[in-house]
Amino acid sequence: MGVLERYRSWMDLPAHTEMLSLSEGDTPLIELPRLAEALGGGFTLYSKYEGMNPTGSFKDRGMAVAVGEAKGRGAKAVICASTGNTAGSAAAYAARAGMKAIVLIPEGKVAAGKLAGAVAYGAQVIQIEGSFDQALELVVEISERQPIALVNSLNPYRLEGQKTAAFEICEALGGAPDVLCLPVGNAGNITAYWMGFRQYDKLQGSGLPILLGVQAEGAAPLVLGRRVEDPETVATAIRIGKPARGEQALQAAEESGGRIIAASDEEILTMQKRLAGEGVWVEPASAAGLAGLAKEIQAGRLDVRGKRVVAVCTGHGLKDPDVVTSWMRTPQVIAPTLAALEALMVKC
Ligand code: AN7
């Protein structure tokens, strides 16, 4: 069952929206006791592992809905700008719906697994000699001139789909967590989570979490309070200098009693390794939320004792293998003999 089947009655959608699903959502909430201990202990930490969605990222929730709506209104094609995950997801759901997908990506800045996905699902992939932000400006303009549906998170139905992750967390925990940390790029996801938590609280009295949104230091327009012209970060998914939902994200963080902060590339990669060390491999951007959480706890700016903290891990590690293979040592090579293997095992 996908998000439309499960939560359609809780979404604000036009009646023409078609059911579309690749069984997205219903992702695991994985407890991380060792990481919690390493961060000082005394609280419960979970990863909402969105890498388990059909195309390996949280984007699938919103894309099922946005493409289903576009299909229902008779659109033949969808278009988006993307740092990679939106592209793969749009391509998959367009393929599922029998539609064409056109994706614009910043040249040379999209992780290999994401680009391969978009190609595999049959999208028309166009690289632009520029940033994600420039690509977004272009797709907004072209979708106003041509009968092509825009499926970036400016599309309100994307947020309707993505807010379902908040419902799932509340259902799994029997209420809202105390703190939710997550990476912030174009700022659609944090906006959608806040919509979801507020809606669930109204319906079920589940309470509300403090939101901690985390950008990468080299791409932190919401922390700096101005557009970043040349965003740069190893977390290419969030290499965004002018977030489309920036204002709403800042408002959501403030209303929740939380904030948006930045983490360095080093802090992000260190957290990626620590997470993998507890069995959860995510792409760099997905570790940003936890990197920010660690920073706030260590600096004494966030007291999590006795609390429930959920870190949204937005995308699977498999999408961006290069970032790991670039720092890892080449695995050992030995002769195919028992003696050679045994000689190594002695050192175990
Ligand atoms: C893994 O795919 O913007 O703040 O074009 O891929 O809702 O943008 C990706 C964003 C976090 C940030 N984690 O979410 C795109 C794109 C991962 C991501 C984000 C993205 P938003």
Side-chain angles (χ1 to χ4, degrees):
M1 230 202 288
V3 294
L4 276 165
E5 285 157 284
R6 259 180 298 137
Y7 294 114
R8 184 171 184 144
S9 60
W10 289 9
M11 292 184 201
D12 188 7
L13 299 178
H16 64 238
T17 306
E18 282 195 13
M19 295 305 276
L20 182 64
S21 167
L22 288 166
S23 292
E24 63 289 329
D26 200 15
T27 54
L29 198 58
I30 304 172
E31 200 180 331
L32 300 168
R34 290 217 307 267
L35 187 55
E37 208 49 47
L39 296 181
F43 70 107
T44 318
L45 179 62
Y46 303 90
S47 163
K48 177 68 172 163
Y49 193 18
E50 290 287 280
M52 294 303 284
N53 276 297
T55 78
S57 88
F58 72 100
K59 304 282 182 183
D60 293 344
R61 295 176 183 275
M63 212 50 84
V65 180
V67 178
E69 188 280 330
K71 170 89 172 164
R73 87 173 112 103
K76 299 277 180 278
V78 299
I79 194 165
C80 64
S82 180
T83 56
N85 280 324
T86 301
S89 187
Y93 283 86
R96 185 76 176 172
M99 298 168 77
K100 181 181 162 81
I102 305 150
V103 303
L104 264 69
I105 58 173
E107 184 189 11
K109 296 290 183 183
V110 169
K114 301 179 189 175
L115 181 55
V119 172
Y121 297 122
Q124 179 179 356
V125 181
I126 303 166
Q127 298 201 76
I128 72 152
E129 297 168 333
S131 65
F132 165 85
D133 304 287
Q134 290 168 303
L136 184 59
E137 279 167 26
L138 286 174
V139 295
V140 168
E141 276 186 40
I142 203 84
S143 65
E144 282 162 6
R145 287 162 183 256
Q146 311 252 350
I148 308 173
L150 179 72
V151 291
N152 278 105
S153 58
L154 284 165
N155 179 322
Y157 310 120
R158 279 277 311 279
L159 303 194
E160 290 298 318
Q162 279 170 216
K163 74 182 181 186
T164 60
F167 301 160
E168 289 176 14
I169 291 171
C170 291
E171 279 164 13
L173 296 179
D178 299 293
V179 179
L180 184 96
C181 63
L182 78 173
V184 173
N186 216 22
N189 209 29
I190 188 170
T191 304
Y193 266 98
W194 190 236
M195 282 167 57
F197 282 121
R198 279 193 323 189
Q199 186 174 345
Y200 204 88
D201 181 46
K202 259 192 198 152
L203 291 166
Q204 312 279 339
S206 54
L208 293 166
I210 286 173
L211 299 181
L212 183 67
V214 186
Q215 302 203 288
E217 236 167 50
L222 300 180
V223 179
L224 298 170
R226 60 172 165 79
R227 177 181 184 153
V228 175
E229 291 300 333
D230 296 305
E232 205 46 81
T233 168
V234 67
T236 52
I238 51 173
R239 188 175 167 275
I240 293 173
K242 186 175 176 280
R245 297 270 182 187
E247 290 302 316
Q248 279 166 282
L250 285 168
Q251 200 185 330
E254 197 188 314
E255 275 175 30
S256 77
R259 56 202 166 271
I260 297 182
I261 62 164
S264 70
D265 279 4
E266 201 190 326
E267 288 164 336
I268 290 171
L269 290 179
T270 300
M271 187 52 77
Q272 185 193 23
K273 284 186 205 174
R274 290 173 85 171
L275 259 172
E278 201 160 353
V280 179
W281 181 28
V282 303
E283 64 165 284
S286 302
L290 273 165
L293 179 81
K295 219 172 154 164
E296 293 301 278
I297 293 174
Q298 270 146 25
R301 287 189 290 263
L302 188 67
D303 186 2
V304 289
R305 274 170 305 175
K307 295 190 172 155
R308 292 191 299 190
V309 180
V310 172
V312 183
C313 292
T314 43
H316 204 289
L318 283 167
K319 291 237 180 175
D320 192 356
D322 297 349
V323 80
V324 175
T325 48
S326 66
W327 55 253
M328 77 178 194
R329 281 179 300 161
T330 310
Q332 263 178 319
V333 182
I334 61 166
T337 65
L338 194 56
L341 183 60
E342 236 160 8
L344 277 183
M345 295 306 109
V346 173
K347 293 180 209 152
C348 271

